[in-house]
């Protein structure tokens, strides 16, 4: 998803010259070509922090017994040791060698991931920050810097993170590959309408220079994209938690004795009489 802002004047400018609304191709819309950085897709950077470098292709998915039986060896395990030493955390998927960075180096990677995600977050639209390919490149550079800090010797040439940094990753035949759309195959959609290249943005949203709209990138021939949910996943979880608590409170009230209110002071029909006799607060008990 990309965001664009129709912030250029569509009428006469202050200096008397006439300006026009930008045509659709010139909008600040970009495809995310790094699915390993941002969900969905395999969060490879997080996997690097949790389980170390990627295994060679011929060892991925094999059990320890199969690796031993086939006499396979990861030659990069000794070359690519994270700074400060490693901590073994087995990768159940069998994609990485399990020699993860220590806690301090893990935090370097994870903190940088969050910073990079924030750069290309949809929240940037709400802050009126234009997100373009330069922003994505800045995010990639931050991630590259974190990897160099933790692995100064570099990653193995087959590691998908290094391949992405070097723009060599082949995503054909993978789920991540379906999320990368070439510019020539991309279409922009907004409010159920396809934004045509031959039209001006003002043809769709009018000439209000402060209009901000959110568009979706779709592959040609796929038609209009599905609508986003009215509430986010986090909001849905909060609502479910709220109603669960309310339901538990109601259950608790039902389980309580219906006559328990009789013990309350306001339900004592002799309280007024004792008050007139001045014996309201007298307590009886052995000396």
């Amino acid at each position: 998803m990309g965001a664009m802002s129709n912030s250029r004047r569509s009428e006469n400018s202050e200096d008397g010259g006439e300006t026009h609304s930008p045509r659709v191709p010139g909008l600040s819309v970009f495809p995310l070509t790094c699915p390993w950085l941002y969900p969905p897709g395999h969060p490879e950077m997080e996997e690097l922090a949790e389980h170390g470098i990627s295994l060679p292709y011929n060892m991925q998915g094999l059990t320890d017994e199969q690796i031993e039986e086939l006499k396979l060896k990861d030659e990069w395990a000794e070359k690519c040791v994270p700074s400060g030493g490693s901590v073994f955390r087995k990768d159940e998927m069998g994609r990485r060698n399990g020699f993860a960075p220590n806690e301090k180096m893990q935090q370097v990677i994870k903190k940088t991931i969050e910073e990079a995600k924030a750069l290309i977050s949809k929240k940037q639209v709400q802050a009126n920050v234009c997100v373009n390919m330069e922003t994505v490149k800045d995010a990639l550079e931050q991630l590259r810097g974190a990897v160099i800090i933790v692995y100064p010797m570099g990653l193995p040439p087959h590691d998908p993170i290094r391949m992405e940094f070097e723009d060599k990753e082949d995503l054909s035949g993978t789920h991540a590959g379906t999320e990368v759309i070439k510019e020539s195959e991309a279409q922009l959609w907004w409010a159920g309408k396809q934004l045509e290249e031959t039209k001006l943005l003002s043809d769709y949203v009018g000439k209000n220079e402060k209009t901000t709209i959110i568009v979706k990138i779709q592959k040609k021939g796929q038609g209009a994209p599905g609508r986003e949910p009215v509430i986010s996943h986090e909001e849905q979880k909060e609502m479910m938690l709220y109603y669960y608590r309310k339901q538990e409170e109601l259950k608790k009230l039902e389980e309580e004795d219906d006559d328990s209110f009789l013990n309350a002071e306001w339900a004592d029909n002799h309280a007024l009489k004792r008050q007139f006799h001045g014996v309201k607060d007298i307590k009886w008990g052995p000396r």
Side-chain angles (χ1 to χ4, degrees):
M1 177 181 292
M4 58 185 176
S5 176
N6 183 15
S7 58
R8 291 183 57 184
R9 301 180 65 86
S10 56
E11 298 177 355
N12 289 342
S13 61
E14 295 178 357
D15 59 1
E18 186 179 359
T19 60
H20 299 279
S21 298
R23 293 191 179 276
V24 172
L27 300 174
S28 57
V29 180
F30 62 92
L32 290 182
T33 56
C34 44
W36 50 270
L37 161 65
Y38 212 108
H42 290 291
E44 296 289 354
M45 287 291 292
E46 293 180 2
E47 292 296 317
L48 177 68
E50 292 292 336
H51 304 295
I53 62 174
S54 178
L55 287 168
Y57 297 125
N58 62 344
M59 295 177 64
Q60 292 185 13
L62 300 180
T63 63
D64 294 339
E65 293 76 14
Q66 290 172 326
I67 292 174
E68 185 177 353
E69 182 180 347
L70 295 172
K71 298 180 180 180
L72 300 176
K73 184 180 180 182
D74 181 9
E75 298 178 355
W76 293 93
E78 297 179 358
K79 299 177 183 178
C80 302
V81 179
S83 299
S86 61
V87 179
F88 188 75
R89 292 189 182 89
K90 184 176 178 61
D91 181 10
E92 298 300 330
M93 300 297 293
R95 297 179 64 248
R96 296 187 172 272
N97 69 359
F99 293 98
N102 61 30
E103 185 65 27
K104 183 179 179 180
M105 293 294 104
Q106 269 193 25
Q107 291 306 314
V108 170
I109 295 177
K110 291 181 177 180
K111 183 179 178 181
T112 307
I113 292 172
E114 294 305 315
E115 292 173 352
K117 284 182 179 180
L119 281 176
I120 58 175
S121 169
K122 289 187 287 186
K123 293 181 180 179
Q124 296 284 59
V125 177
Q126 300 170 357
N128 292 325
V129 177
C130 180
V131 179
N132 51 31
M133 284 306 298
E134 289 301 319
T135 313
V136 177
K137 289 178 181 178
D138 288 343
L140 287 173
E141 286 303 317
Q142 287 191 17
L143 295 171
R144 192 198 307 270
V147 171
I148 290 175
I149 291 173
V150 181
Y151 292 92
M153 73 297 295
L155 298 175
H158 55 268
D159 195 296
I161 297 175
R162 174 173 171 177
M163 294 172 70
E164 179 65 37
F165 285 152
E166 298 176 354
D167 199 20
K168 295 179 180 179
E169 187 177 18
D170 182 12
L171 298 177
S172 57
T174 66
H175 174 70
T178 62
E179 297 168 6
V180 179
I181 303 175
K182 295 180 181 179
E183 185 177 350
S184 60
E185 301 175 355
Q187 289 180 334
L188 302 183
W189 289 81
W190 171 73
K193 301 175 184 177
Q194 180 185 339
L195 305 186
E196 301 288 348
E197 294 185 8
T198 56
K199 292 186 178 181
L200 301 176
L201 183 57
S202 58
D203 295 336
Y204 297 97
V205 299
K207 296 185 178 182
N208 186 345
E209 64 180 17
K210 295 184 179 180
T211 301
T212 299
I213 67 174
I214 297 178
V215 303
K216 283 190 174 182
I217 301 176
Q218 196 80 339
K219 201 169 184 177
K220 288 182 179 179
Q222 291 184 344
R227 291 183 177 273
E228 288 193 348
V230 179
I231 59 175
S232 67
H233 182 63
E234 290 299 322
E235 290 173 333
Q236 185 181 19
K237 287 198 300 184
E238 289 294 329
M239 289 175 62
M240 292 177 65
L241 181 60
Y242 171 79
Y243 286 114
Y244 173 77
R245 287 173 177 169
K246 293 292 289 184
Q247 191 176 23
E248 290 299 312
E249 289 177 6
L250 291 174
K251 285 182 180 179
K252 188 176 180 181
L253 289 173
E254 289 176 359
E255 291 172 358
E256 288 182 354
D257 186 4
D258 292 338
D259 297 330
S260 59
F261 70 91
L262 295 176
N263 297 324
E265 184 178 349
W266 58 267
D268 186 359
N269 55 359
H270 298 293
L272 183 60
K273 181 179 179 180
R274 286 199 298 269
Q275 185 176 2
F276 280 124
H277 290 171
V279 293
K280 179 181 178 183
D281 296 325
I282 296 177
K283 296 181 181 180
W284 302 91
R287 290 186 178 180

